[in-house]
Structures are given as structure tokens and as C-alpha cells.
């Protein structure tokens, strides 16, 4: 997907997205972060072709699955089974394979088949997000767009979601675009990050480059992941420059290697 010189302005003249250009590599995971009102969800809507930019263009020939922040707002059917099947039919998935496909998707998400007869409105927060993902994965899109997917999830489900998204990237070569305020989740998941403020990209790079800029992040009301803050503290207090790591245990091992 490529975004070229995209601008989005409301009829009242308020500009939400201001001249953004961005190329998202196939099979990569992009994190989009920024303060509230910076234009993150509007940018996702433009990427998903839900709204048209005022200026600029989006180049994309791949199918897209969009998990909305308020996932229940996208549910219309009386049962989970109907919801998932309707999504497949809407996106022209082969009907003959539908029953098997539904079961396969539930297995990927560790969901019991009993959930198929439930009313989507009765689902827990965890179940709602997973059923929302099932309604996307059923038609096998190449690009997944996720708006605040960890909101209201417990720690166990967050960890399972992290493993799932990494698997979708590594095994099935999905391109994933995610907006989240959960910096710990973003840090463990993504390859690259853009920071939005007032509809403009103010920082862009791989996750280590972006999260190393703790002062710039703080300027926009964003806090770097704990592991990056810890790494910075070790450098300032002990003079030990550590490699970038995703897990705190690996960072602690590096400290001991440097000390001993």
C-alpha cells in the first residue's frame, strides 16, 4: 500500500490529515501512534477506503480487513455464526468451503464452536474482539487494519492476540496496520512506527529508532515502552550502552555481560 500526498479536510475547513505520504511494505507490521485527535483513525479510514481523501491518492490492490475500535458496532446478525458467514459472503468467499472455513478460523483464534450460537451482543470484551477478527479472517484479506485492538482486553487475551498477529505475519505473510495507545503491545509487535500529531507525521522509522526518541515522544504526550526507558536509565546512570531488545529479561542478561 502506498499513500501519496493525502489530505483530508472537513467541509467546515478543518484539516484532519495534512499531506501524508507513506509506503507500507508487504508482509510488515506498521504501528501508528499519537495523541488523541491527531488523525489516527481518520488515516485508517482512508487506508480502508471508507472515506475518500480530499486530495492525494491511495495505491492498493489487496483485500483489506478492518477491525473497528468499537467492534460491536460492526455486528448486525443475531448469531455469531451468521455474523461470520455474512462477512464471508459479502466478500465473495467460496460458499462450498464456508462451514470448514468457519471451524478453521475458530481454531486459529482458540474459540470454542459453542460460541457460534451466541448473540454477538452478549459477548464479553475478549470474545467480541476475537469474533471481530474471525469475521475478518474468514475471507482471508491480505491487509489487516486494527484500531485499538487491545482496548478492554485482559492480559491473557492480549498475549494470545500478540502471538496470533505475529503468526499471521510470519506464516501467512499478512500486512498489518495497527493504531494503539498500548505502547508495550506496539513495541513487542510492530516493525515500523509513525507518530502522528495534528494530522502530520512527526516521526517515522523502525520501532527502535522511534522509541529511542523519548524526548520527542514526551513532547507529544507519549511514553516510550518500559524496556526503552530502562535501557536509557542504565546508560545515564551506569554508562552502559545496551543493544535494542524486545524482552526485559534479555536486557538484564546484557547488563550482566557488560558488568562481568
Amino acid at each position: 500500500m502506498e499513500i501519496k500526498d493525502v489530505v483530508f479536510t472537513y467541509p467546515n475547513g478543518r484539516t484532519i490529515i495534512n499531506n501524508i505520504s507513506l509506503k507500507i511494505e508487504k508482509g510488515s507490521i506498521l504501528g501508528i501512534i499519537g495523541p488523541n485527535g491527531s488523525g489516527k483513525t481518520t488515516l485508517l479510514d482512508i487506508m480502508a477506503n471508507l472515506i475518500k481523501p480530499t486530495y492525494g491518492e491511495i495505491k492498493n490492490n489487496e483485500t483489506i480487513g478492518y477491525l473497528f475500535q468499537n467492534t460491536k458496532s460492526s455486528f448486525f446478525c443475531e448469531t455469531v455464526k451468521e455474523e461470520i458467514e455474512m462477512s464471508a459472503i459479502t466478500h465473495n468467499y467460496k460458499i462450498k468451503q464456508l462451514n470448514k472455513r468457519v471451524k478453521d478460523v475458530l481454531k486459529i483464534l482458540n474459540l470454542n464452536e459453542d460460541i457460534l450460537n451466541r448473540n454477538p451482543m452478549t459477548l464479553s470484551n475478549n470474545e467480541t474482539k476475537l469474533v471481530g477478527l474471525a469475521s475478518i479472517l474468514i475471507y482471508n484479506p491480505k491487509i489487516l487494519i486494527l484500531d485499538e485492538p487491545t482496548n478492554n482486553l485482559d492480559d491473557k487475551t492480549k498475549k494470545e492476540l500478540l502471538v496470533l498477529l505475529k503468526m499471521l505475519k510470519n506464516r501467512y505473510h499478512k500486512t498489518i496496520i495497527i493504531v494503539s495507545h498500548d505502547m508495550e503491545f506496539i513495541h513487542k509487535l510492530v516493525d515500523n512506527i509513525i507518530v502522528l500529531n495534528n494530522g502530520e507525521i512527526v516521526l517515522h522509522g523502525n520501532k527502535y529508532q522511534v522509541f529511542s526518541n523519548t524526548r520527542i515522544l514526551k513532547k507529544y504526550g507519549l511514553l516510550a515502552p518500559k524496556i526503552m526507558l530502562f535501557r536509557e536509565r542504565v546508560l545515564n546512570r551506569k554508562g552502559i550502552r545496551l543493544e535494542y531488545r524486545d524482552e526485559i529479561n534479555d536486557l538484564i542478561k546484557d547488563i550482566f555481560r557488560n558488568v562481568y
Side-chain angles (χ1 to χ4, degrees), residues 6-10 14-18 42 46 51-54:
V6 163
V7 175
F8 182 80
T9 303
Y10 283 119
R14 183 185 173 204
T15 296
I16 305 298
I17 300 296
N18 189 14
T42 300
I46 292 172
I51 58 176
K52 299 290 185 182
T54 308

Side-chain angles (χ1 to χ4, degrees), residues 67 69-72 75 118 120-132 148-154 157:
L67 183 70
Q69 181 173 348
N70 182 11
T71 310
K72 279 188 179 178
F75 293 159
R118 299 262 304 277
M121 295 300 117
T122 68
L123 300 176
S124 68
N125 290 326
N126 295 340
E127 291 168 336
T128 295
K129 291 294 183 183
L130 294 175
V131 169
E148 299 288 358
T150 63
N151 272 11
N152 302 314
L153 295 187
D154 59 33
T157 306

Side-chain angles (χ1 to χ4, degrees), residues 234 240-245 247-260:
V234 169
I240 299 173
R241 186 176 297 277
L242 299 170
E243 296 295 325
Y244 297 113
R245 299 292 187 183
E247 300 293 340
I248 192 72
N249 288 339
D250 293 330
L251 204 61
I252 292 172
K253 290 176 185 177
D254 288 345
I255 294 173
F256 277 98
R257 290 190 190 101
N258 279 274
V259 172
Y260 300 105

Side-chain angles (χ1 to χ4, degrees), residues 204-237:
H204 182 202
N206 69 52
K207 63 181 177 182
Y208 303 114
Q209 293 169 331
V210 171
F211 281 137
S212 291
N213 285 280
T214 54
R215 291 183 182 179
I216 295 178
L217 293 173
K218 190 174 182 180
K219 175 183 176 182
Y220 298 111
L222 303 171
L223 193 63
K226 293 176 183 177
I227 191 170
M228 301 300 287
L229 296 174
F230 180 69
R231 177 178 172 271
E232 186 178 74
R233 193 172 298 120
V234 169
L235 175 62
N236 293 337
R237 294 186 180 181

Side-chain angles (χ1 to χ4, degrees), residues 154-170:
D154 59 33
D155 289 340
K156 178 177 179 293
T157 306
K158 279 186 185 181
K159 289 178 182 177
E160 292 172 350
L161 179 60
L162 183 67
V163 171
L164 169 68
L165 295 177
K166 285 184 176 181
M167 182 268 288
L168 290 174
K169 174 203 168 183
N170 295 328

Side-chain angles (χ1 to χ4, degrees), residues 65-191:
Y66 194 156
L67 183 70
F68 295 93
Q69 181 173 348
N70 182 11
T71 310
K72 279 188 179 178
S73 67
S74 63
F75 293 159
F76 298 100
C77 300
E78 293 185 1
T79 68
V80 169
K81 185 174 188 291
E82 291 172 332
E83 194 68 53
I84 296 172
E85 289 179 345
M86 180 59 68
S87 180
I89 293 168
T90 302
H91 291 86
N92 300 315
Y93 194 84
K94 296 176 181 178
I95 304 300
K96 289 181 180 179
Q97 301 177 8
L98 195 50
N99 285 334
K100 182 181 183 303
R101 180 67 179 168
V102 170
K103 292 179 180 179
D104 288 344
V105 168
L106 292 182
K107 187 178 294 185
I108 289 173
L109 296 168
N110 287 322
L111 285 172
N112 194 294
E113 290 183 27
D114 293 345
I115 202 171
L116 293 173
N117 295 320
R118 299 262 304 277
N119 185 308
M121 295 300 117
T122 68
L123 300 176
S124 68
N125 290 326
N126 295 340
E127 291 168 336
T128 295
K129 291 294 183 183
L130 294 175
V131 169
L133 278 171
S135 297
I136 293 171
L137 296 179
I138 190 70
Y139 59 87
N140 196 29
K142 298 297 183 183
I143 300 174
L144 304 180
I145 295 179
L146 314 174
D147 192 359
E148 299 288 358
T150 63
N151 272 11
N152 302 314
L153 295 187
D154 59 33
D155 289 340
K156 178 177 179 293
T157 306
K158 279 186 185 181
K159 289 178 182 177
E160 292 172 350
L161 179 60
L162 183 67
V163 171
L164 169 68
L165 295 177
K166 285 184 176 181
M167 182 268 288
L168 290 174
K169 174 203 168 183
N170 295 328
R171 186 181 302 176
Y172 298 106
H173 312 294
K174 303 291 187 187
T175 303
I176 301 173
I177 303 163
I178 176 173
V179 160
S180 180
H181 284 91
D182 190 335
M183 297 301 170
E184 305 302 324
F185 188 85
I186 284 283
H187 179 256
K188 290 180 179 179
L189 177 66
V190 307
D191 302 306

